[in-house]
């Protein structure tokens, strides 16, 4: 039983990593036998991994086709960004008091790297650094379930994030400034509700920028959260 679960989790992380890196792009057919062969295991743990990824919204089953990497639409992006705004805002506030000076220096160093990508903008590099920045700030969150939910939403968004900053490149410049503001609030020992609100506004502003660009008549003004 333990070995089966271990193999299932190994398959889960292997497939999820390839979805996140866009090796498996939206619509890509996941052939269980081929994946099992690559991982040198039976299809049973691969099937379990696929079911877990389906529960997270990263995989879809189609009649007479089988498992495919989930297609992305604007509604899915909007819903995930709204959820991430709330979840990560809370996680950032809960983690704030446990962040050390070294943690904050690390976050600033990552943000500095992000600034360096702006002159010759590289969306994939910016995306990877962006996730590292936020992961650093929520790492000591004392609620493991909340941390898990934030991580799941980041995984769901990983296939969209590059295109978001490509569509609205000016948002990247604003994003790094907001990162510095969040770190400064934490460093100053600001009230937790201020830290939470700043983190929520940060993600909400990215969604607003995307909606303003792609659907100017439908923008929902997430910044009011």
């Amino acid at each position: 039983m333990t070995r089966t679960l271990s193999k299932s989790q190994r398959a889960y992380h292997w497939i999820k990593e390839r979805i996140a890196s866009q090796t498996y792009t939206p619509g890509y057919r996941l052939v269980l036998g081929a994946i099992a062969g690559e991982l040198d295991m039976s299809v049973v743990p691969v099937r379990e991994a696929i079911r877990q990824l389906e529960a997270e919204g990263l995989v879809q089953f189609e009649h007479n086709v089988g498992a495919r990497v989930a297609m992305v639409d604007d509604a899915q992006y909007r819903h995930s960004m709204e959820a991430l705004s709330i979840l990560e805002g809370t996680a950032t506030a809960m983690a704030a008091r446990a962040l050390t000076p070294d943690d904050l220096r690390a976050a600033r160093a990552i943000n500095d790297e992000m600034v360096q990508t702006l002159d010759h903008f590289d969306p994939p590099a910016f995306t990877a650094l962006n996730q590292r920045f936020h992961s650093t700030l929520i790492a000591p969150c004392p609620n493991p379930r909340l941390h898990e939910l934030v991580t799941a939403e980041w995984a769901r968004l990983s296939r969209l994030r590059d295109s978001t900053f490509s569509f609205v490149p000016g948002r990247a410049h604003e994003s790094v400034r907001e990162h510095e503001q969040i770190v400064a609030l934490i460093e100053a020992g600001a009230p937790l509700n201020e830290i939470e609100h700043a983190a929520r506004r940060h993600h909400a502003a990215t969604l607003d920028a995307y909606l303003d660009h792609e659907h100017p008549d439908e923008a929902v003004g997430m910044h009011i959260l």
Side-chain angles (χ1 to χ4, degrees), residues 163-193:
S163 60
T164 302
F165 285 116
S166 296
F167 291 150
V168 197
R171 175 62 196 145
H173 290 75
E174 297 169 358
S175 184
V176 294
R177 286 194 294 270
E178 291 164 9
H179 284 176
E180 174 56 34
Q181 292 167 1
I182 294 169
V183 172
L185 284 172
I186 295 171
E187 195 172 51
L192 295 183
N193 65 325

PDB file of all heavy atoms in Angstrom, residues 163-193:
ATOM      1  N   SER A 163       1.750  34.266 -20.401  1.00  0.00           N
ATOM      2  CA  SER A 163       0.962  35.013 -21.371  1.00  0.00           C
ATOM      3  C   SER A 163       0.335  36.247 -20.747  1.00  0.00           C
ATOM      4  O   SER A 163       0.143  37.251 -21.420  1.00  0.00           O
ATOM      5  CB  SER A 163      -0.133  34.116 -21.978  1.00  0.00           C
ATOM      6  OG  SER A 163      -0.999  33.638 -20.979  1.00  0.00           O
ATOM      7  N   THR A 164       0.037  36.199 -19.467  1.00  0.00           N
ATOM      8  CA  THR A 164      -0.545  37.365 -18.807  1.00  0.00           C
ATOM      9  C   THR A 164       0.414  38.544 -18.863  1.00  0.00           C
ATOM     10  O   THR A 164       0.049  39.654 -19.263  1.00  0.00           O
ATOM     11  CB  THR A 164      -0.870  37.054 -17.336  1.00  0.00           C
ATOM     12  OG1 THR A 164      -1.757  35.940 -17.294  1.00  0.00           O
ATOM     13  CG2 THR A 164      -1.509  38.249 -16.659  1.00  0.00           C
ATOM     14  N   PHE A 165       1.665  38.339 -18.465  1.00  0.00           N
ATOM     15  CA  PHE A 165       2.627  39.433 -18.483  1.00  0.00           C
ATOM     16  C   PHE A 165       2.997  39.822 -19.909  1.00  0.00           C
ATOM     17  O   PHE A 165       3.392  40.958 -20.160  1.00  0.00           O
ATOM     18  CB  PHE A 165       3.879  39.059 -17.675  1.00  0.00           C
ATOM     19  CG  PHE A 165       3.646  39.098 -16.186  1.00  0.00           C
ATOM     20  CD1 PHE A 165       3.725  37.945 -15.417  1.00  0.00           C
ATOM     21  CD2 PHE A 165       3.339  40.284 -15.547  1.00  0.00           C
ATOM     22  CE1 PHE A 165       3.511  37.974 -14.043  1.00  0.00           C
ATOM     23  CE2 PHE A 165       3.112  40.335 -14.170  1.00  0.00           C
ATOM     24  CZ  PHE A 165       3.206  39.179 -13.425  1.00  0.00           C
ATOM     25  N   SER A 166       2.894  38.869 -20.861  1.00  0.00           N
ATOM     26  CA  SER A 166       3.140  39.216 -22.254  1.00  0.00           C
ATOM     27  C   SER A 166       2.051  40.134 -22.782  1.00  0.00           C
ATOM     28  O   SER A 166       2.309  41.070 -23.535  1.00  0.00           O
ATOM     29  CB  SER A 166       3.219  37.944 -23.106  1.00  0.00           C
ATOM     30  OG  SER A 166       4.315  37.153 -22.710  1.00  0.00           O
ATOM     31  N   PHE A 167       0.790  39.857 -22.394  1.00  0.00           N
ATOM     32  CA  PHE A 167      -0.318  40.693 -22.836  1.00  0.00           C
ATOM     33  C   PHE A 167      -0.225  42.091 -22.226  1.00  0.00           C
ATOM     34  O   PHE A 167      -0.549  43.083 -22.878  1.00  0.00           O
ATOM     35  CB  PHE A 167      -1.663  40.080 -22.409  1.00  0.00           C
ATOM     36  CG  PHE A 167      -2.016  38.809 -23.125  1.00  0.00           C
ATOM     37  CD1 PHE A 167      -2.778  37.849 -22.491  1.00  0.00           C
ATOM     38  CD2 PHE A 167      -1.589  38.567 -24.415  1.00  0.00           C
ATOM     39  CE1 PHE A 167      -3.113  36.666 -23.130  1.00  0.00           C
ATOM     40  CE2 PHE A 167      -1.916  37.395 -25.063  1.00  0.00           C
ATOM     41  CZ  PHE A 167      -2.678  36.441 -24.424  1.00  0.00           C
ATOM     42  N   VAL A 168       0.188  42.158 -20.965  1.00  0.00           N
ATOM     43  CA  VAL A 168       0.204  43.433 -20.247  1.00  0.00           C
ATOM     44  C   VAL A 168       1.603  43.637 -19.640  1.00  0.00           C
ATOM     45  O   VAL A 168       1.791  43.557 -18.428  1.00  0.00           O
ATOM     46  CB  VAL A 168      -0.861  43.468 -19.134  1.00  0.00           C
ATOM     47  CG1 VAL A 168      -1.112  44.900 -18.678  1.00  0.00           C
ATOM     48  CG2 VAL A 168      -2.160  42.817 -19.573  1.00  0.00           C
ATOM     49  N   PRO A 169       2.620  43.906 -20.497  1.00  0.00           N
ATOM     50  CA  PRO A 169       3.995  43.999 -19.983  1.00  0.00           C
ATOM     51  C   PRO A 169       4.189  45.103 -18.953  1.00  0.00           C
ATOM     52  O   PRO A 169       5.041  44.985 -18.067  1.00  0.00           O
ATOM     53  CB  PRO A 169       4.826  44.263 -21.250  1.00  0.00           C
ATOM     54  CG  PRO A 169       3.856  44.777 -22.259  1.00  0.00           C
ATOM     55  CD  PRO A 169       2.552  44.102 -21.954  1.00  0.00           C
ATOM     56  N   GLY A 170       3.416  46.190 -19.039  1.00  0.00           N
ATOM     57  CA  GLY A 170       3.548  47.264 -18.058  1.00  0.00           C
ATOM     58  C   GLY A 170       3.211  46.805 -16.656  1.00  0.00           C
ATOM     59  O   GLY A 170       3.697  47.377 -15.675  1.00  0.00           O
ATOM     60  N   ARG A 171       2.425  45.759 -16.544  1.00  0.00           N
ATOM     61  CA  ARG A 171       2.046  45.234 -15.237  1.00  0.00           C
ATOM     62  C   ARG A 171       3.263  44.688 -14.493  1.00  0.00           C
ATOM     63  O   ARG A 171       3.318  44.732 -13.262  1.00  0.00           O
ATOM     64  CB  ARG A 171       0.985  44.135 -15.433  1.00  0.00           C
ATOM     65  CG  ARG A 171       0.594  43.414 -14.161  1.00  0.00           C
ATOM     66  CD  ARG A 171      -0.024  44.339 -13.128  1.00  0.00           C
ATOM     67  NE  ARG A 171      -0.040  43.710 -11.811  1.00  0.00           N
ATOM     68  CZ  ARG A 171       0.130  44.347 -10.661  1.00  0.00           C
ATOM     69  NH1 ARG A 171       0.310  45.654 -10.653  1.00  0.00           N
ATOM     70  NH2 ARG A 171       0.093  43.696  -9.528  1.00  0.00           N
ATOM     71  N   ALA A 172       4.261  44.179 -15.225  1.00  0.00           N
ATOM     72  CA  ALA A 172       5.462  43.640 -14.593  1.00  0.00           C
ATOM     73  C   ALA A 172       6.197  44.727 -13.816  1.00  0.00           C
ATOM     74  O   ALA A 172       6.689  44.482 -12.709  1.00  0.00           O
ATOM     75  CB  ALA A 172       6.380  43.017 -15.644  1.00  0.00           C
ATOM     76  N   HIS A 173       6.278  45.930 -14.378  1.00  0.00           N
ATOM     77  CA  HIS A 173       6.939  47.037 -13.679  1.00  0.00           C
ATOM     78  C   HIS A 173       6.188  47.396 -12.395  1.00  0.00           C
ATOM     79  O   HIS A 173       6.797  47.633 -11.348  1.00  0.00           O
ATOM     80  CB  HIS A 173       7.007  48.269 -14.601  1.00  0.00           C
ATOM     81  CG  HIS A 173       7.957  48.117 -15.747  1.00  0.00           C
ATOM     82  ND1 HIS A 173       7.672  47.340 -16.847  1.00  0.00           N
ATOM     83  CD2 HIS A 173       9.192  48.634 -15.956  1.00  0.00           C
ATOM     84  CE1 HIS A 173       8.695  47.387 -17.702  1.00  0.00           C
ATOM     85  NE2 HIS A 173       9.626  48.169 -17.180  1.00  0.00           N
ATOM     86  N   GLU A 174       4.870  47.433 -12.488  1.00  0.00           N
ATOM     87  CA  GLU A 174       4.069  47.739 -11.299  1.00  0.00           C
ATOM     88  C   GLU A 174       4.205  46.639 -10.258  1.00  0.00           C
ATOM     89  O   GLU A 174       4.243  46.896  -9.049  1.00  0.00           O
ATOM     90  CB  GLU A 174       2.600  47.896 -11.699  1.00  0.00           C
ATOM     91  CG  GLU A 174       2.338  49.060 -12.649  1.00  0.00           C
ATOM     92  CD  GLU A 174       0.933  49.021 -13.222  1.00  0.00           C
ATOM     93  OE1 GLU A 174       0.193  48.061 -12.908  1.00  0.00           O
ATOM     94  OE2 GLU A 174       0.576  49.933 -13.988  1.00  0.00           O
ATOM     95  N   SER A 175       4.294  45.393 -10.723  1.00  0.00           N
ATOM     96  CA  SER A 175       4.350  44.249  -9.817  1.00  0.00           C
ATOM     97  C   SER A 175       5.578  44.304  -8.920  1.00  0.00           C
ATOM     98  O   SER A 175       5.477  44.067  -7.706  1.00  0.00           O
ATOM     99  CB  SER A 175       4.344  42.950 -10.633  1.00  0.00           C
ATOM    100  OG  SER A 175       4.301  41.824  -9.789  1.00  0.00           O
ATOM    101  N   VAL A 176       6.739  44.623  -9.486  1.00  0.00           N
ATOM    102  CA  VAL A 176       7.951  44.638  -8.653  1.00  0.00           C
ATOM    103  C   VAL A 176       7.902  45.781  -7.637  1.00  0.00           C
ATOM    104  O   VAL A 176       8.428  45.651  -6.532  1.00  0.00           O
ATOM    105  CB  VAL A 176       9.233  44.710  -9.516  1.00  0.00           C
ATOM    106  CG1 VAL A 176       9.394  43.432 -10.323  1.00  0.00           C
ATOM    107  CG2 VAL A 176       9.244  45.930 -10.427  1.00  0.00           C
ATOM    108  N   ARG A 177       7.260  46.889  -8.001  1.00  0.00           N
ATOM    109  CA  ARG A 177       7.108  47.978  -7.028  1.00  0.00           C
ATOM    110  C   ARG A 177       6.198  47.546  -5.880  1.00  0.00           C
ATOM    111  O   ARG A 177       6.455  47.865  -4.704  1.00  0.00           O
ATOM    112  CB  ARG A 177       6.542  49.228  -7.723  1.00  0.00           C
ATOM    113  CG  ARG A 177       7.547  49.948  -8.610  1.00  0.00           C
ATOM    114  CD  ARG A 177       7.070  51.338  -8.991  1.00  0.00           C
ATOM    115  NE  ARG A 177       5.887  51.299  -9.845  1.00  0.00           N
ATOM    116  CZ  ARG A 177       5.938  51.256 -11.178  1.00  0.00           C
ATOM    117  NH1 ARG A 177       7.124  51.228 -11.795  1.00  0.00           N
ATOM    118  NH2 ARG A 177       4.842  51.238 -11.900  1.00  0.00           N
ATOM    119  N   GLU A 178       5.136  46.830  -6.205  1.00  0.00           N
ATOM    120  CA  GLU A 178       4.231  46.344  -5.159  1.00  0.00           C
ATOM    121  C   GLU A 178       4.908  45.308  -4.272  1.00  0.00           C
ATOM    122  O   GLU A 178       4.652  45.248  -3.064  1.00  0.00           O
ATOM    123  CB  GLU A 178       2.963  45.768  -5.814  1.00  0.00           C
ATOM    124  CG  GLU A 178       2.109  46.844  -6.464  1.00  0.00           C
ATOM    125  CD  GLU A 178       1.077  46.272  -7.423  1.00  0.00           C
ATOM    126  OE1 GLU A 178       0.910  45.031  -7.464  1.00  0.00           O
ATOM    127  OE2 GLU A 178       0.443  47.068  -8.153  1.00  0.00           O
ATOM    128  N   HIS A 179       5.784  44.497  -4.849  1.00  0.00           N
ATOM    129  CA  HIS A 179       6.551  43.541  -4.051  1.00  0.00           C
ATOM    130  C   HIS A 179       7.350  44.273  -2.974  1.00  0.00           C
ATOM    131  O   HIS A 179       7.358  43.863  -1.805  1.00  0.00           O
ATOM    132  CB  HIS A 179       7.522  42.757  -4.937  1.00  0.00           C
ATOM    133  CG  HIS A 179       6.877  41.693  -5.757  1.00  0.00           C
ATOM    134  ND1 HIS A 179       7.577  40.931  -6.678  1.00  0.00           N
ATOM    135  CD2 HIS A 179       5.589  41.241  -5.803  1.00  0.00           C
ATOM    136  CE1 HIS A 179       6.758  40.061  -7.245  1.00  0.00           C
ATOM    137  NE2 HIS A 179       5.549  40.234  -6.737  1.00  0.00           N
ATOM    138  N   GLU A 180       8.025  45.342  -3.374  1.00  0.00           N
ATOM    139  CA  GLU A 180       8.827  46.096  -2.417  1.00  0.00           C
ATOM    140  C   GLU A 180       7.949  46.688  -1.317  1.00  0.00           C
ATOM    141  O   GLU A 180       8.331  46.703  -0.139  1.00  0.00           O
ATOM    142  CB  GLU A 180       9.585  47.208  -3.148  1.00  0.00           C
ATOM    143  CG  GLU A 180      10.342  48.167  -2.244  1.00  0.00           C
ATOM    144  CD  GLU A 180      11.347  47.476  -1.322  1.00  0.00           C
ATOM    145  OE1 GLU A 180      11.946  46.463  -1.733  1.00  0.00           O
ATOM    146  OE2 GLU A 180      11.526  47.956  -0.177  1.00  0.00           O
ATOM    147  N   GLN A 181       6.762  47.133  -1.684  1.00  0.00           N
ATOM    148  CA  GLN A 181       5.848  47.707  -0.684  1.00  0.00           C
ATOM    149  C   GLN A 181       5.413  46.644   0.331  1.00  0.00           C
ATOM    150  O   GLN A 181       5.323  46.926   1.530  1.00  0.00           O
ATOM    151  CB  GLN A 181       4.634  48.313  -1.389  1.00  0.00           C
ATOM    152  CG  GLN A 181       4.965  49.552  -2.218  1.00  0.00           C
ATOM    153  CD  GLN A 181       3.826  49.951  -3.147  1.00  0.00           C
ATOM    154  OE1 GLN A 181       2.772  49.313  -3.157  1.00  0.00           O
ATOM    155  NE2 GLN A 181       4.040  50.994  -3.933  1.00  0.00           N
ATOM    156  N   ILE A 182       5.142  45.432  -0.149  1.00  0.00           N
ATOM    157  CA  ILE A 182       4.726  44.356   0.757  1.00  0.00           C
ATOM    158  C   ILE A 182       5.855  44.003   1.718  1.00  0.00           C
ATOM    159  O   ILE A 182       5.645  43.860   2.927  1.00  0.00           O
ATOM    160  CB  ILE A 182       4.278  43.110  -0.049  1.00  0.00           C
ATOM    161  CG1 ILE A 182       3.004  43.410  -0.841  1.00  0.00           C
ATOM    162  CG2 ILE A 182       4.050  41.916   0.887  1.00  0.00           C
ATOM    163  CD1 ILE A 182       2.649  42.344  -1.862  1.00  0.00           C
ATOM    164  N   VAL A 183       7.067  43.865   1.188  1.00  0.00           N
ATOM    165  CA  VAL A 183       8.215  43.553   2.045  1.00  0.00           C
ATOM    166  C   VAL A 183       8.431  44.662   3.066  1.00  0.00           C
ATOM    167  O   VAL A 183       8.701  44.396   4.244  1.00  0.00           O
ATOM    168  CB  VAL A 183       9.489  43.346   1.191  1.00  0.00           C
ATOM    169  CG1 VAL A 183      10.726  43.226   2.096  1.00  0.00           C
ATOM    170  CG2 VAL A 183       9.360  42.100   0.326  1.00  0.00           C
ATOM    171  N   ALA A 184       8.291  45.927   2.638  1.00  0.00           N
ATOM    172  CA  ALA A 184       8.490  47.051   3.550  1.00  0.00           C
ATOM    173  C   ALA A 184       7.470  47.031   4.682  1.00  0.00           C
ATOM    174  O   ALA A 184       7.797  47.324   5.837  1.00  0.00           O
ATOM    175  CB  ALA A 184       8.415  48.368   2.782  1.00  0.00           C
ATOM    176  N   LEU A 185       6.231  46.676   4.379  1.00  0.00           N
ATOM    177  CA  LEU A 185       5.199  46.592   5.412  1.00  0.00           C
ATOM    178  C   LEU A 185       5.550  45.504   6.435  1.00  0.00           C
ATOM    179  O   LEU A 185       5.413  45.701   7.643  1.00  0.00           O
ATOM    180  CB  LEU A 185       3.839  46.287   4.775  1.00  0.00           C
ATOM    181  CG  LEU A 185       3.131  47.437   4.055  1.00  0.00           C
ATOM    182  CD1 LEU A 185       1.902  46.908   3.316  1.00  0.00           C
ATOM    183  CD2 LEU A 185       2.729  48.526   5.040  1.00  0.00           C
ATOM    184  N   ILE A 186       5.970  44.349   5.928  1.00  0.00           N
ATOM    185  CA  ILE A 186       6.338  43.253   6.831  1.00  0.00           C
ATOM    186  C   ILE A 186       7.526  43.662   7.691  1.00  0.00           C
ATOM    187  O   ILE A 186       7.550  43.441   8.906  1.00  0.00           O
ATOM    188  CB  ILE A 186       6.655  41.984   6.022  1.00  0.00           C
ATOM    189  CG1 ILE A 186       5.402  41.482   5.290  1.00  0.00           C
ATOM    190  CG2 ILE A 186       7.205  40.881   6.934  1.00  0.00           C
ATOM    191  CD1 ILE A 186       5.658  40.366   4.298  1.00  0.00           C
ATOM    192  N   GLU A 187       8.510  44.273   7.070  1.00  0.00           N
ATOM    193  CA  GLU A 187       9.725  44.686   7.775  1.00  0.00           C
ATOM    194  C   GLU A 187       9.417  45.700   8.870  1.00  0.00           C
ATOM    195  O   GLU A 187      10.030  45.683   9.944  1.00  0.00           O
ATOM    196  CB  GLU A 187      10.698  45.282   6.763  1.00  0.00           C
ATOM    197  CG  GLU A 187      12.117  45.447   7.235  1.00  0.00           C
ATOM    198  CD  GLU A 187      13.014  45.848   6.088  1.00  0.00           C
ATOM    199  OE1 GLU A 187      12.675  46.817   5.369  1.00  0.00           O
ATOM    200  OE2 GLU A 187      14.051  45.197   5.895  1.00  0.00           O
ATOM    201  N   ALA A 188       8.439  46.567   8.595  1.00  0.00           N
ATOM    202  CA  ALA A 188       8.089  47.615   9.558  1.00  0.00           C
ATOM    203  C   ALA A 188       7.154  47.117  10.650  1.00  0.00           C
ATOM    204  O   ALA A 188       6.797  47.875  11.558  1.00  0.00           O
ATOM    205  CB  ALA A 188       7.456  48.794   8.821  1.00  0.00           C
ATOM    206  N   GLY A 189       6.736  45.857  10.582  1.00  0.00           N
ATOM    207  CA  GLY A 189       5.812  45.334  11.581  1.00  0.00           C
ATOM    208  C   GLY A 189       4.432  45.946  11.474  1.00  0.00           C
ATOM    209  O   GLY A 189       3.751  46.147  12.486  1.00  0.00           O
ATOM    210  N   ALA A 190       3.996  46.224  10.247  1.00  0.00           N
ATOM    211  CA  ALA A 190       2.685  46.828  10.021  1.00  0.00           C
ATOM    212  C   ALA A 190       1.582  45.901  10.526  1.00  0.00           C
ATOM    213  O   ALA A 190       1.776  44.685  10.648  1.00  0.00           O
ATOM    214  CB  ALA A 190       2.492  47.115   8.534  1.00  0.00           C
ATOM    215  N   PRO A 191       0.405  46.454  10.832  1.00  0.00           N
ATOM    216  CA  PRO A 191      -0.718  45.603  11.236  1.00  0.00           C
ATOM    217  C   PRO A 191      -0.974  44.520  10.195  1.00  0.00           C
ATOM    218  O   PRO A 191      -0.859  44.771   8.986  1.00  0.00           O
ATOM    219  CB  PRO A 191      -1.892  46.592  11.323  1.00  0.00           C
ATOM    220  CG  PRO A 191      -1.235  47.911  11.625  1.00  0.00           C
ATOM    221  CD  PRO A 191       0.054  47.895  10.855  1.00  0.00           C
ATOM    222  N   LEU A 192      -1.344  43.347  10.667  1.00  0.00           N
ATOM    223  CA  LEU A 192      -1.514  42.217   9.754  1.00  0.00           C
ATOM    224  C   LEU A 192      -2.598  42.469   8.716  1.00  0.00           C
ATOM    225  O   LEU A 192      -2.504  41.988   7.587  1.00  0.00           O
ATOM    226  CB  LEU A 192      -1.817  40.944  10.547  1.00  0.00           C
ATOM    227  CG  LEU A 192      -0.695  40.453  11.467  1.00  0.00           C
ATOM    228  CD1 LEU A 192      -1.091  39.142  12.133  1.00  0.00           C
ATOM    229  CD2 LEU A 192       0.612  40.276  10.708  1.00  0.00           C
ATOM    230  N   ASN A 193      -3.638  43.230   9.092  1.00  0.00           N
ATOM    231  CA  ASN A 193      -4.691  43.491   8.107  1.00  0.00           C
ATOM    232  C   ASN A 193      -4.173  44.366   6.958  1.00  0.00           C
ATOM    233  O   ASN A 193      -4.622  44.238   5.820  1.00  0.00           O
ATOM    234  CB  ASN A 193      -5.920  44.123   8.764  1.00  0.00           C
ATOM    235  CG  ASN A 193      -5.656  45.499   9.333  1.00  0.00           C
ATOM    236  OD1 ASN A 193      -4.565  45.770   9.840  1.00  0.00           O
ATOM    237  ND2 ASN A 193      -6.651  46.374   9.275  1.00  0.00           N
TER     238      ASN A 193
END
